[in-house]
Amino acid sequence: MNQLKTREPGSFTLPGTLSSALRDELIAFRRDLHMHPELGNQEFRTTAALKARLEAAGLAPRVLPGGTGLICDIGTWDGGRPMLAVRADLDALPIPDAKTVAYRSTVPNRAHACGHDVHTTTVLGAGLVLAGLEREGRLPRPVRLIFQPAEEVLPGGAADAVAAGVLDGVGRIIAVHCDPKVDAGRIGIRTGPITSACDRLEITLDGPGGHTARPHLTTDLVTAAARIATDVPAVLARRVDARSGLSVTWGRIEAGHAPNVIPQHAELSGTVRCLDLPAWRDAPDLVHAAVDEIATLHRAKSTVNYVRGVPPVVNDPVIVELLRDAMTARRGVDSVEDTEQSLGGEDFSWYLEHVPGAMARLGVRTPGDPRVRDLHAGDFDVDERCIETAVELFTAAALIDAD
């Protein structure tokens, strides 16, 4: 890798760029996926489309046990040095597509509003380019493509993929995630944590209700729920190092049906996010204790359902440099920028519990466009030139890693 750091693009030949015909095909493939979004563990059409295209290229993809998602090796692993894997996720979100474009979603209340159609297309494109190099004898080491289902379904389809053996023979793994704050043609990288841990929290409160004229004879669950909503985050802020970024944010509070009746049941649900891996491991016990203390103070019986989601994505420094070298070799040093740690969760982290790897931010904003199309919003879209950027990144990484 080091020998490439001082070389500017054009001073040497690195194969694996896109032909204009394949570029057009990949844009059409992405738009087809965008028009036919599928939710987690339901990506049957997407899986079939990938399988058919890879087989047409003479490859032998293998569908994962659940019937969605697949892996495909470019070249044959001989049991020697472990392979580099390139990962994509397939699923869409349960929200309506609010865009007015020819490739708008045709499925009501379903949209590729997180860019997984782009991720999938770019890994497919990289696989097709690398397969061509392998046929020409110019791919030094085999590479594995991983097309994973259900990234948006906690605790993430990556855990199931790992259990199915997708990392067998793999020693390193890379991926990208669309970033609407970065211009197309560029990537953002970061060593160490680049995403947050994300868990789901569900709390139920129970107690004897009654008339609002006599709250002293009841368990006032509305007040108890309100205090849990405000005090649990405050308590945690004093029990965890502030640098860990542990936060609880509520998305739903529900209690009662009438203005003069104190209810017997209340519910709260939200997310727990954490920037630090050790603090994330302690989070369930800390949250349980804080909820129990506040509920007991208000004479409410509490039940906590803490649903483990995903740990932070912690980028390996060596693999980060591989991505930096790969992008620099393709487009120069100005095509790489540093990026901050996000509070978003990503199940790519489960792979990193087993092998070193790194995820880059893929720029998808049209240069000069003042708008920032937020992820998980119905109007999310990308500058499709990002597809070529990611394909070139992945193919260069595969070649440099082999070197």
Side-chain angles (χ1 to χ4, degrees):
M1 288 187 287
N2 291 337
Q3 64 182 340
L4 293 170
K5 288 185 178 180
T6 59
R7 297 181 177 182
E8 285 298 310
S11 65
F12 67 103
T13 301
L14 186 66
T17 55
L18 275 177
S19 67
S20 59
L22 183 54
R23 183 188 308 113
D24 293 344
E25 179 191 348
L26 292 176
I27 290 174
F29 191 90
R30 179 257 168 173
R31 292 185 177 189
D32 179 72
L33 295 185
H34 201 86
M35 293 173 66
H36 302 91
E38 298 172 299
L39 299 183
N41 294 316
Q42 301 174 24
E43 310 96 329
F44 296 103
R45 182 186 185 278
T46 304
T47 299
L50 287 165
K51 183 172 183 290
R53 184 61 185 92
L54 292 166
E55 288 176 340
L59 300 170
R62 293 167 282 166
V63 176
L64 296 181
T68 62
L70 50 83
I71 63 173
C72 184
D73 290 350
I74 314 298
T76 302
W77 184 53
D78 61 5
R81 181 187 177 193
M83 290 179 284
L84 174 73
V86 187
R87 173 267 196 172
D89 38 13
L90 308 182
D91 54 329
L93 288 162
I95 63 176
D97 192 338
K99 300 186 300 299
T100 304
V101 293
Y103 49 88
R104 181 180 177 179
S105 172
T106 61
V107 184
N109 299 315
R110 302 286 186 271
H112 268 296
C114 199
H116 294 188
D117 54 334
V118 173
H119 305 165
T120 298
T121 301
T122 61
V123 174
L124 170 64
L128 297 175
V129 172
L130 293 172
L133 294 178
E134 200 274 334
R135 287 192 297 270
E136 298 168 1
R138 294 199 291 167
L139 182 64
R141 294 185 184 276
V143 175
R144 174 165 295 165
L145 313 180
I146 299 176
F147 298 94
Q148 169 219 307
E151 190 276 331
E152 299 287 355
V153 181
L154 288 179
D160 293 332
V162 170
V166 302
L167 293 181
D168 293 348
V170 169
R172 304 157 305 288
I173 188 167
I174 58 175
V176 296
H177 196 293
C178 290
D179 189 337
K181 300 185 298 299
V182 178
D183 285 348
R186 297 168 61 86
I187 65 167
I189 58 174
R190 176 185 173 89
T191 297
I194 193 172
T195 70
S196 168
C198 181
D199 300 333
R200 188 171 71 245
L201 179 60
E202 300 168 345
I203 300 170
T204 61
L205 301 174
D206 293 284
H211 202 293
T212 55
R214 292 176 288 278
H216 58 291
L217 301 179
T218 72
T219 294
D220 187 350
L221 291 185
V222 174
T223 297
R227 294 308 298 265
I228 284 175
T230 58
D231 290 354
V232 165
V235 168
L236 293 173
R238 292 297 177 267
R239 295 185 180 176
V240 180
D241 189 328
R243 292 170 294 184
S244 71
L246 181 65
S247 66
V248 176
T249 304
W250 307 105
R252 184 180 70 94
I253 300 177
E254 185 174 333
H257 301 283
N260 61 344
V261 178
I262 294 174
Q264 299 180 14
H265 183 78
E267 297 179 358
L268 303 89
S269 59
T271 59
V272 180
R273 298 182 186 271
C274 186
L275 301 176
D276 178 71
L277 190 57
W280 176 73
R281 300 194 191 283
D282 294 337
D285 290 341
L286 293 169
V287 170
H288 272 85
V291 171
D292 288 346
E293 287 178 22
I294 297 166
T296 299
L297 181 65
H298 293 274
R299 297 181 298 171
K301 178 184 178 182
S302 62
T303 302
V304 178
N305 181 29
Y306 194 106
V307 182
R308 268 302 196 198
V310 294
V313 172
V314 182
N315 282 346
D316 180 85
V318 174
I319 312 302
V320 169
E321 289 307 302
L322 171 63
L323 293 173
R324 183 190 301 275
D325 289 348
M327 198 72 247
T328 299
R330 292 296 192 199
R331 303 198 175 202
V333 294
D334 291 339
S335 65
V336 182
E337 62 183 63
D338 294 330
T339 191
E340 74 281 356
Q341 184 177 3
S342 165
L343 280 171
E346 233 291 351
D347 75 352
F348 184 70
S349 54
W350 290 124
Y351 299 110
L352 305 187
E353 296 279 298
H354 303 272
V355 297
M359 170 174 280
R361 305 284 186 197
L362 176 64
V364 300
R365 181 178 62 188
T366 299
D369 189 342
R371 296 173 299 173
V372 176
R373 298 179 184 272
D374 198 13
L375 297 170
H376 289 212
D379 66 346
F380 176 75
D381 205 356
V382 305
D383 183 324
E384 290 173 319
R385 288 175 289 184
C386 68
I387 295 172
E388 182 172 13
T389 304
V391 172
E392 291 188 351
L393 171 70
F394 289 145
T395 55
L399 295 168
I400 296 172
D401 177 69
D403 181 61

